[in-house]
Amino acid sequence: SKDDFDLAAVYVSDAQYNRNIFFDTTPQAIRLYLLYNHWGLHILVYTFIVVDLALAIFEDPAVFPLPIWATTLIELVCLTAFTVRLVHYAKVIPRDRFWKDPKNICIIVVIVLSLVDIIIYGSLKATGFFAVRWSRVLRPLLLVNITEGRQLRRAFRSIRNALPQILYVFLLFMFSVLMFSLMALKLFGKKGLTTNDGSPYFTDYLDIVFDLYVLVTTANSPDVMMPAYNSSVFFAVFFIIYILINTYIFMSVFLAVVYNNYKKHLKEEVRQLVRAKRHKMVRAFGVLQERKGEEGPVVTQASWNQLVRLVQPGISNAHRELLWSVSDDNNKGCIGKVAFVQLADLLNMQVIVVKSRPHPLQMWLPSLYLSSPSRLVCRMVRHRFFVYAFDLIILINTVFIGMDEENPLISNAEWAFLALYILEILFKLYTFEPRAFFSRHQFWNWFDTLIVISALIATIINSVLKSSGGYTSRQILDIVFILRVLRLIRVVDSIKRFRAIINTLIRIGPTILTFGQLIVVIYYIFAMVGMELFKGKIRFFDAESTDPDKAFCGNPLLKNSLFAKLNYCKNNFNDVISSFILLLELTVVNQWHDILFKA
Amino acid sequence: SKDDFDLAAVYVSDAQYNRNIFFDTTPQAIRLYLLYNHWGLHILVYTFIVVDLALAIFEDPAVFPLPIWATTLIELVCLTAFTVRLVHYAKVIPRDRFWKDPKNICIIVVIVLSLVDIIIYGSLKATGFFAVRWSRVLRPLLLVNITEGRQLRRAFRSIRNALPQILYVFLLFMFSVLMFSLMALKLFGKKGLTTNDGSPYFTDYLDIVFDLYVLVTTANSPDVMMPAYNSSVFFAVFFIIYILINTYIFMSVFLAVVYNNYKKHLKEEVRQLVRAKRHKMVRAFGVLQERKGEEGPVVTQASWNQLVRLVQPGISNAHRELLWSVSDDNNKGCIGKVAFVQLADLLNMQVIVVKSRPHPLQMWLPSLYLSSPSRLVCRMVRHRFFVYAFDLIILINTVFIGMDEENPLISNAEWAFLALYILEILFKLYTFEPRAFFSRHQFWNWFDTLIVISALIATIINSVLKSSGGYTSRQILDIVFILRVLRLIRVVDSIKRFRAIINTLIRIGPTILTFGQLIVVIYYIFAMVGMELFKGKIRFFDAESTDPDKAFCGNPLLKNSLFAKLNYCKNNFNDVISSFILLLELTVVNQWHDILFKA
Ligand code: NA
């Protein structure tokens, strides 16, 4: 029946995308489940999460302040959306399963706490009291706990699994740092050495521990070593052994532990995924199986065709027939369980269908498109010297970009280059079939076209602004510059070895995306806490300001500090963007000790 | 015959230690070859190489100057030793093989060039001309090309194999840096920004390239970003994307390329080693094989026993019989080729023979050692509270070390602790069989005993010096402090998880040793070149010096430079030790741009 096919299609699709949801098998629940998995809803959920997280830009302390009622309204809309999505999920899976899953509980708790916080914050603010929006720390938890966050949860699980081993290595590492610090205290404490700014060198145990801990990240090398080294060459050996053991050897052990744990964990996860996939495919087979002759249950080609059409509506007949001929290699007209189970993997394989469709112009104006001048143009565009010619043009363009753009010759040449690039794209579109030219895997064609068209638009806007009032928008000019330089990247595609490296980078894109989400979750939590604790502690004054507080970033504690001297005032927790940039700087590790001292 | 057994033993031993030397099979050459492989000669060769390399400490520019005739004499002795070793090698292998091997040619060239250099240098110096000891750069090549340098050559081969791929990644990386620099020039060049010290910011293309290249190593983060960030938040995004792409993504690709290449190369090397080992064992079998019955050639137990005794003279009868019973699993009294070939691997297996030898005291004074008070002592020492008690003592000792050692109570307590530690070792030696206690695998027993005895000796010397003239040698006191702190490391052994990590570290020791040799080879070459180019360019003045040149390290070019301000004068190429420390600092990466600027 139709319902059976729907159920089987859901099993196959779950197997294909590694979804692990224990849904109700009633026809109504299945239809809801199909809706739940619709890609449009996935995008909607992520949009609401991004909006919810981005609220931090507009909430106090804000980059762009909005009134409280506005941000509250947006947040309520987001919370409603999350609630609706959760109710939808509750209708799809059995009730007891729903309440047993900690992910659902976590989402409910986040929503309820956010509501409570909004009410408390609103009423406190209305009555003029001090209030903190503490529930904002919980927002990133939504990103982790929604059904779509499977990859992200896997990444967090990997980290959690490696933690105990990492902890022991870290303890041993700390023991080593403490021992070395004790040795440093004994060796240097009584020598009366001074640092470069005249303060006593290595006389306090806790200061030594901090200095040597910073040295592990190499951030204060070689300054921390110089006073001892100046006193005797042999003391340098102490620091070299320290760096060797604590930076290189321990970091290697750390990496080895993390890597081995990750590999072990990944193997186990993959094994579970394969098992779950097989299990789902066996269920789909159970739904569609028929008895035919003596050979046990089978699925007929007709059922199989209907199933595949349901699972992947856009599949071409040729592709479907290819998959069937792979499954039914003996041409029996039906397949057993073993062959059926492969379907999910077969559907995941990328079959690139090279459609040698004729060019649309050939259909509309055959006499013109097939005339000998037109053919000559096509031959010319396909020739490798066409590629060389444009590589040369890019190189010349590079030189022009490097020169002063206020010279009228240079700025007019820019128009010529733009025209050449547009001409190139038009020529290619004339020669190659446009749908093939803009197919999904043609990364560089997309890249080229987008960059050139954006550059054209930005350049036109810029020159219109300039000629209308003599006024040039700085932002638009910056965008024009960036687009111009980005265009040059195309030259990389002409070198085969570079193309291979770039393709590798594109292939690891999804992993980087998961890792990026993980970083956002962690940074967001730190940024929220940091903002509540440190907002307004440090102020940034712009270059023209003559405020006397400018010399110490508006905080008397920073008088004469290295932090103020290095002009680090903008490294603060005053709004969410500053916080993110500060956290990134701390991750990069250099000078982190100077930055941290402000707290 | 005896010669046959000698030949077979050499094959087995070569297979066991993965030696790949194509020696002459005449009885005389085999005897020479056995001598060539003697461990004493290996040590002698390495000693001469270390002496030859260490000459740099005494040659101009010297740490401890020696007259030219002395260093030349030592070098001539070393060169003679290398020549003798090479002649010995030439007698062992066939003449044509010897001259075909680039390693031998390389050693001959190094020796000849060193002699030529010594003569030229000596005569130029004698006539008062300027002269450079350029052949010193070649010295590390000896370390690579001697027969014993197999592991080191393998490491260099791995690096060479990965070079082409690394080069392409590096080119793409440089392309990326150049593109970003161009973008930075266009974005910031005309904005009129200034750095913290007031100089114009990002106006010269080559300066930008250098600054951004330094940023990849994170050494000038966040300073290089601050002027742009202070001008607009959105410019920070430029730097963040830059660091993301060029530091993190490119470094990951670099590591992946190196790791994958290394793994591929290692697999191939291991395959070759296994093939060569098998080949040698088959040859050994061919020498000793006999016909017995119908089953093809075999080796009898008698021949096998004689062979094993020749290969490993120290092997115990029990161990040898165990190996035979593993090989001859059907108890036939003889083994075929397949079983024989395993012998090299069997000999390499560590069989820990637990000899429950009685304590020597039990043999000499049985009535005393077996008396009930003595047994009580032994039971006490074996009890786990004995370990706990000494862990507690170590902890208390740690606190005492942290306190001021000039307090007489503290310095007297030190004697008590020393006495306790010695007592512990004596108790253990009383309870456990001394040869088992000091067996090869008892790392911590060796460690403890060495540290405690050295500390005892140093402390006694120190107090003798102190009481005799009131004068305390700073060096001896430093050694005493280091030994005291090192003693505390022992506590690590009490925690099982830590012991596991430390054992892993000890196991990768040989790999670290090979890597260390590789580093020495590379640093030595750089140090020699650097010393000839830069010696004396920068001078170090000690703290009491009132020389006006002190403010700029004796080099007018460094007037007002950050290098001089940060008191980096001792980071120079004035002698080999300074050079090595400087190269290590550059490897550690931080502040390397400030250090490099002096050149
Ligand atoms: Na650094």
Side-chain angles (χ1 to χ4, degrees):
Chain A
S1 75
K2 175 80 176 65
D3 289 339
D4 282 348
F5 278 105
D6 277 346
L7 180 57
V10 167
Y11 281 133
V12 174
S13 159
D14 278 9
Q16 201 186 342
Y17 298 110
N18 288 320
R19 279 192 289 259
N20 245 335
I21 297 168
F22 189 89
F23 53 90
D24 244 339
T25 51
T26 60
Q28 200 207 348
I30 290 170
R31 266 186 291 278
L32 273 173
Y33 184 54
L34 280 171
L35 178 65
Y36 187 82
N37 284 332
H38 193 277
W39 60 268
L41 289 183
H42 290 321
I43 291 177
L44 215 61
V45 167
Y46 273 110
T47 311
F48 276 114
I49 288 183
V50 169
V51 168
D52 194 34
L53 291 177
L55 277 179
I57 301 173
F58 309 101
E59 292 166 337
D60 179 62
V63 187
F64 307 108
L66 279 186
I68 292 179
W69 64 262
T71 56
T72 309
L73 197 68
I74 298 170
E75 184 158 17
L76 286 176
V77 171
C78 291
L79 292 179
T80 314
F82 302 139
T83 314
V84 168
R85 180 82 177 156
L86 201 65
V87 170
H88 188 166
Y89 189 58
K91 295 251 177 235
V92 166
I93 69 169
R95 179 175 297 239
D96 57 324
R97 286 262 165 180
F98 180 84
W99 291 107
K100 265 184 203 154
D101 188 345
K103 295 194 288 291
N104 302 327
I105 309 296
C106 185
I107 293 177
I108 294 172
V109 167
V110 170
I111 292 173
V112 170
L113 286 180
S114 298
L115 285 173
V116 170
D117 185 29
I118 287 173
I119 293 166
I120 296 175
Y121 183 79
S123 43
L124 281 174
K125 277 281 166 189
T127 51
F129 281 101
F130 172 79
V132 169
R133 274 300 316 268
W134 46 266
S135 73
R136 303 197 297 176
V137 173
L138 305 173
R139 284 178 190 162
L141 294 183
L142 291 170
L143 199 56
V144 182
N145 286 300
I146 52 168
T147 340
E148 290 83 356
R150 234 164 275 128
Q151 298 286 347
L152 186 55
R153 283 195 294 277
R154 203 165 294 150
F156 269 107
R157 268 203 302 275
S158 300
I159 292 176
R160 201 186 51 205
N161 272 33
L163 270 189
Q165 287 217 40
I166 290 175
L167 185 75
Y168 277 102
V169 178
F170 183 75
L171 283 178
L172 194 58
F173 161 75
M174 279 313 301
F175 177 79
S176 159
V177 171
L178 292 176
M179 283 295 113
F180 270 100
S181 303
L182 189 58
M183 223 182 272
L185 178 70
K186 289 281 124 181
L187 284 180
F188 309 122
K190 297 263 169 137
K191 291 234 161 56
L193 302 175
T194 56
T195 62
N196 206 24
D197 58 1
S199 54
Y201 178 73
F202 273 13
T203 50
D204 179 72
Y205 184 65
L206 290 181
D207 286 349
I208 297 175
V209 172
F210 182 75
D211 278 343
L212 288 185
Y213 184 77
V214 173
L215 183 59
V216 173
T217 67
T218 77
N220 58 358
S221 160
D223 307 76
V224 74
M225 172 179 117
M226 289 319 292
Y229 182 27
N230 286 338
S231 129
S232 163
V233 171
F234 298 101
F235 290 139
V237 176
F238 172 84
F239 288 94
I240 287 169
I241 291 175
Y242 178 82
I243 289 180
L244 229 61
I245 291 181
N246 291 293
T247 304
Y248 295 114
I249 295 185
F250 264 106
M251 289 303 128
S252 310
V253 174
F254 259 115
L255 280 180
V257 165
V258 170
Y259 178 77
N260 284 334
N261 252 286
Y262 180 75
K263 223 171 64 180
K264 216 175 70 187
H265 183 66
L266 197 73
K267 227 184 240 169
E268 186 47 42
E269 293 253 350
V270 166
R271 206 174 291 141
Q272 276 179 21
L273 278 181
V274 168
R275 213 179 297 135
K277 182 180 270 185
R278 213 193 110 77
H279 192 66
K280 281 174 223 140
M281 290 307 293
V282 167
R283 279 173 172 242
F285 183 79
V287 173
L288 296 183
Q289 70 185 33
E290 297 170 33
R291 290 234 151 239
K292 206 178 183 187
E294 316 229 308
E295 298 168 42
V298 292
V299 167
T300 61
Q301 185 170 8
S303 317
W304 189 90
N305 277 340
Q306 199 177 338
L307 175 69
V308 171
R309 262 190 239 111
L310 267 175
V311 174
Q312 209 138 299
I315 198 167
S316 72
N317 284 337
H319 188 178
R320 207 186 59 231
E321 276 157 27
L322 177 72
L323 294 187
W324 175 259
S325 68
V326 171
S327 302
D328 180 22
D329 49 359
N330 292 329
N331 255 321
K332 286 195 210 158
C334 59
I335 49 173
K337 205 200 265 183
V338 175
F340 183 84
V341 163
Q342 297 171 0
L343 178 59
D345 294 322
L346 285 178
L347 285 173
N348 272 345
M349 267 178 215
Q350 270 190 3
V351 177
I352 294 174
V353 185
V354 181
K355 293 174 196 133
S356 60
R357 262 193 293 228
H359 198 281
L361 282 176
Q362 196 181 335
M363 320 254 281
W364 302 334
L365 300 164
S367 58
L368 187 73
Y369 193 72
L370 296 172
S371 68
S372 57
S374 160
R375 279 167 185 253
L376 185 71
V377 168
C378 291
R379 261 226 313 283
M380 195 189 75
V381 172
R382 286 176 201 271
H383 200 280
R384 66 204 154 93
F385 278 111
F386 187 77
V387 177
Y388 293 164
F390 270 92
D391 286 348
L392 187 67
I393 289 172
I394 290 175
L395 286 180
I396 297 169
N397 191 187
T398 313
V399 176
F400 271 76
I401 291 175
M403 288 191 284
D404 186 4
E405 72 276 359
E406 278 165 27
N407 183 328
L409 183 77
I410 305 289
S411 61
N412 288 333
E414 185 51 34
W415 287 105
F417 283 116
L418 256 181
L420 277 172
Y421 293 129
I422 291 167
L423 215 62
E424 185 198 9
I425 293 173
L426 289 178
F427 266 125
K428 282 187 175 168
L429 281 177
Y430 184 80
T431 308
F432 304 106
E433 211 278 321
R435 271 167 297 180
F437 187 76
F438 285 124
S439 76
R440 264 180 62 203
H441 302 283
Q442 298 291 342
F443 173 77
W444 288 107
N445 291 344
W446 280 100
F447 180 83
D448 263 10
T449 313
L450 280 177
I451 294 282
V452 168
I453 290 176
S454 323
L456 182 68
I457 294 170
T459 311
I460 288 173
I461 293 176
N462 185 42
S463 58
V464 166
L465 282 176
K466 210 172 181 177
S467 61
S468 67
Y471 162 83
T472 311
S473 162
R474 204 62 236 186
Q475 271 78 30
I476 288 186
L477 204 59
D478 285 347
I479 291 169
V480 170
F481 286 146
I482 291 172
L483 289 171
R484 270 185 210 164
V485 176
L486 282 181
R487 227 162 42 197
L488 307 179
I489 294 177
R490 222 275 309 270
V491 90
V492 165
D493 190 44
S494 308
I495 298 160
K496 209 178 130 199
R497 294 271 201 154
F498 285 180
R499 206 159 43 205
I501 300 171
I502 297 270
N503 283 339
T504 314
L505 284 178
I506 293 172
R507 219 173 306 134
I508 60 170
T511 315
I512 293 178
L513 209 72
T514 305
F515 190 70
Q517 283 185 48
L518 196 141
I519 294 284
V520 166
V521 167
I522 295 168
Y523 277 23
Y524 199 89
I525 293 173
F526 273 99
M528 291 303 126
V529 174
M531 272 160 62
E532 295 302 344
L533 292 177
F534 304 118
K535 68 180 169 196
K537 290 252 164 83
I538 288 165
R539 280 186 296 145
F540 171 70
F541 300 85
D542 50 62
E544 290 84 41
S545 164
T546 51
D547 194 312
D549 290 1
K550 192 183 169 192
F552 44 85
C553 305
N555 187 334
L557 282 175
L558 288 174
K559 251 176 196 164
N560 297 322
S561 69
L562 198 57
F563 184 84
K565 258 182 234 153
L566 288 172
N567 207 1
Y568 283 180
C569 305
K570 203 152 182 175
N571 293 319
N572 57 42
F573 273 113
N574 290 356
D575 59 56
V576 68
I577 291 180
S578 303
S579 306
F580 263 76
I581 292 172
L582 172 57
L583 289 169
L584 270 164
E585 281 175 19
L586 292 179
T587 315
V588 165
V589 152
N590 212 53
Q591 299 284 9
W592 65 268
H593 49 300
D594 290 335
I595 298 173
L596 265 195
F597 261 130
K598 61 151 197 182
Chain B
S1 74
K2 175 78 176 67
D3 288 338
D4 282 347
F5 278 106
D6 276 346
L7 179 58
V10 168
Y11 281 133
V12 174
S13 158
D14 277 8
Q16 201 185 346
Y17 297 110
N18 288 320
R19 279 192 289 259
N20 245 335
I21 296 167
F22 189 91
F23 54 88
D24 244 340
T25 51
T26 61
Q28 199 208 351
I30 290 171
R31 265 186 292 279
L32 273 172
Y33 184 55
L34 282 172
L35 179 65
Y36 187 81
N37 286 331
H38 193 276
W39 60 268
L41 288 184
H42 292 320
I43 291 177
L44 214 61
V45 167
Y46 274 110
T47 311
F48 276 115
I49 287 182
V50 169
V51 169
D52 194 33
L53 291 176
L55 276 179
I57 300 173
F58 308 102
E59 291 165 338
D60 178 61
V63 186
F64 306 109
L66 279 185
I68 291 179
W69 63 262
T71 56
T72 308
L73 197 68
I74 297 171
E75 184 159 15
L76 286 176
V77 170
C78 290
L79 291 178
T80 313
F82 302 139
T83 313
V84 169
R85 180 79 177 158
L86 201 65
V87 169
H88 188 167
Y89 189 57
K91 296 246 175 242
V92 166
I93 70 169
R95 178 174 296 237
D96 57 326
R97 287 261 165 185
F98 180 82
W99 291 106
K100 266 184 203 153
D101 189 344
K103 297 194 287 293
N104 301 329
I105 308 296
C106 184
I107 294 178
I108 292 172
V109 168
V110 169
I111 293 174
V112 170
L113 285 181
S114 298
L115 283 174
V116 170
D117 185 29
I118 288 173
I119 293 166
I120 295 176
Y121 183 79
S123 42
L124 280 175
K125 278 279 167 191
T127 51
F129 281 101
F130 172 79
V132 170
R133 274 302 315 269
W134 46 266
S135 73
R136 303 197 297 175
V137 173
L138 305 173
R139 282 177 190 162
L141 293 183
L142 291 169
L143 199 55
V144 183
N145 285 300
I146 52 169
T147 339
E148 290 83 358
R150 233 166 274 126
Q151 298 286 346
L152 187 55
R153 283 195 294 275
R154 203 165 293 150
F156 270 107
R157 269 203 301 274
S158 300
I159 292 177
R160 203 187 49 205
N161 272 33
L163 270 189
Q165 288 216 39
I166 290 175
L167 186 75
Y168 276 102
V169 178
F170 183 75
L171 283 179
L172 194 58
F173 161 76
M174 277 316 299
F175 176 79
S176 158
V177 171
L178 292 176
M179 283 296 113
F180 270 100
S181 303
L182 189 58
M183 226 183 271
L185 178 69
K186 290 281 123 180
L187 284 179
F188 308 122
K190 298 261 168 134
K191 291 233 163 52
L193 302 175
T194 56
T195 62
N196 206 23
D197 56 1
S199 53
Y201 178 71
F202 273 12
T203 51
D204 179 74
Y205 185 65
L206 291 179
D207 285 351
I208 298 175
V209 172
F210 182 75
D211 278 344
L212 288 186
Y213 184 77
V214 173
L215 181 60
V216 172
T217 66
T218 77
N220 58 359
S221 161
D223 307 75
V224 74
M225 172 179 113
M226 289 320 288
Y229 182 28
N230 286 338
S231 128
S232 164
V233 171
F234 298 99
F235 290 139
V237 176
F238 172 85
F239 288 94
I240 287 169
I241 291 176
Y242 178 83
I243 288 180
L244 230 61
I245 291 181
N246 291 293
T247 306
Y248 294 116
I249 296 187
F250 264 107
M251 288 306 127
S252 310
V253 174
F254 259 115
L255 281 180
V257 166
V258 170
Y259 178 77
N260 283 335
N261 251 287
Y262 180 76
K263 224 173 60 180
K264 216 175 70 187
H265 182 69
L266 198 73
K267 228 184 239 170
E268 187 46 42
E269 294 254 350
V270 166
R271 206 174 293 139
Q272 276 179 21
L273 278 182
V274 168
R275 213 179 298 136
K277 183 180 269 184
R278 213 193 108 79
H279 192 68
K280 281 171 221 142
M281 290 308 293
V282 168
R283 278 174 173 240
F285 183 78
V287 173
L288 296 183
Q289 69 184 35
E290 296 170 33
R291 289 235 150 239
K292 206 178 182 186
E294 316 230 308
E295 299 168 43
V298 292
V299 166
T300 60
Q301 185 170 7
S303 317
W304 189 90
N305 276 340
Q306 198 176 340
L307 175 69
V308 171
R309 261 191 241 110
L310 266 176
V311 175
Q312 210 139 301
I315 199 166
S316 73
N317 283 337
H319 187 177
R320 207 187 59 232
E321 275 157 27
L322 176 72
L323 294 187
W324 175 258
S325 68
V326 170
S327 302
D328 181 23
D329 49 358
N330 293 328
N331 255 321
K332 287 195 208 157
C334 59
I335 51 173
K337 205 200 264 184
V338 175
F340 183 83
V341 163
Q342 298 171 0
L343 177 59
D345 295 322
L346 284 177
L347 285 173
N348 272 345
M349 265 179 217
Q350 270 190 5
V351 176
I352 295 174
V353 186
V354 181
K355 294 177 196 129
S356 61
R357 265 193 291 228
H359 198 283
L361 282 176
Q362 194 181 335
M363 320 253 281
W364 303 333
L365 301 163
S367 58
L368 187 72
Y369 194 72
L370 295 172
S371 69
S372 55
S374 159
R375 276 166 188 252
L376 186 70
V377 167
C378 291
R379 262 228 310 285
M380 194 189 75
V381 172
R382 285 176 201 271
H383 201 281
R384 66 203 154 94
F385 279 110
F386 186 77
V387 177
Y388 294 163
F390 271 92
D391 286 347
L392 186 68
I393 290 172
I394 288 175
L395 286 180
I396 298 169
N397 190 187
T398 312
V399 176
F400 271 75
I401 290 175
M403 288 191 284
D404 186 4
E405 73 274 1
E406 278 167 25
N407 182 329
L409 182 77
I410 304 289
S411 60
N412 288 333
E414 183 53 35
W415 287 106
F417 282 115
L418 256 181
L420 277 171
Y421 293 129
I422 291 166
L423 215 61
E424 185 198 8
I425 292 171
L426 290 178
F427 267 125
K428 281 188 174 166
L429 280 177
Y430 184 81
T431 309
F432 303 106
E433 210 278 321
R435 270 167 298 179
F437 186 75
F438 286 123
S439 76
R440 264 180 62 201
H441 304 281
Q442 299 290 341
F443 172 78
W444 288 107
N445 291 343
W446 280 100
F447 180 84
D448 263 12
T449 314
L450 281 176
I451 293 283
V452 168
I453 290 176
S454 323
L456 183 68
I457 294 169
T459 311
I460 289 172
I461 292 176
N462 185 43
S463 57
V464 166
L465 282 176
K466 211 171 179 178
S467 61
S468 66
Y471 161 83
T472 311
S473 162
R474 204 61 237 187
Q475 270 78 30
I476 287 183
L477 202 58
D478 285 346
I479 290 168
V480 169
F481 286 145
I482 290 171
L483 288 171
R484 270 184 210 165
V485 177
L486 281 180
R487 227 161 44 196
L488 307 178
I489 294 177
R490 222 277 308 271
V491 90
V492 166
D493 191 44
S494 307
I495 298 160
K496 210 180 130 197
R497 293 271 202 154
F498 285 179
R499 205 158 45 202
I501 300 172
I502 297 269
N503 283 340
T504 312
L505 284 178
I506 293 173
R507 219 173 307 134
I508 58 169
T511 314
I512 293 178
L513 209 70
T514 304
F515 190 69
Q517 282 184 49
L518 196 144
I519 294 284
V520 165
V521 168
I522 295 169
Y523 277 23
Y524 199 89
I525 293 173
F526 274 99
M528 290 304 126
V529 174
M531 272 160 61
E532 295 302 345
L533 292 178
F534 305 118
K535 66 180 171 197
K537 289 252 164 80
I538 289 166
R539 280 185 298 146
F540 171 71
F541 301 85
D542 51 59
E544 290 85 42
S545 164
T546 52
D547 194 311
D549 289 1
K550 192 185 169 191
F552 43 86
C553 304
N555 187 334
L557 283 175
L558 289 173
K559 250 176 196 161
N560 298 321
S561 68
L562 199 58
F563 184 87
K565 258 182 235 155
L566 287 172
N567 208 358
Y568 282 179
C569 306
K570 203 152 183 176
N571 294 318
N572 58 40
F573 272 115
N574 290 355
D575 59 58
V576 68
I577 291 178
S578 302
S579 306
F580 263 76
I581 291 172
L582 172 57
L583 288 169
L584 271 165
E585 282 175 17
L586 292 180
T587 314
V588 164
V589 153
N590 213 52
Q591 298 282 8
W592 64 268
H593 48 301
D594 291 335
I595 297 173
L596 265 196
F597 261 131
K598 63 154 195 180

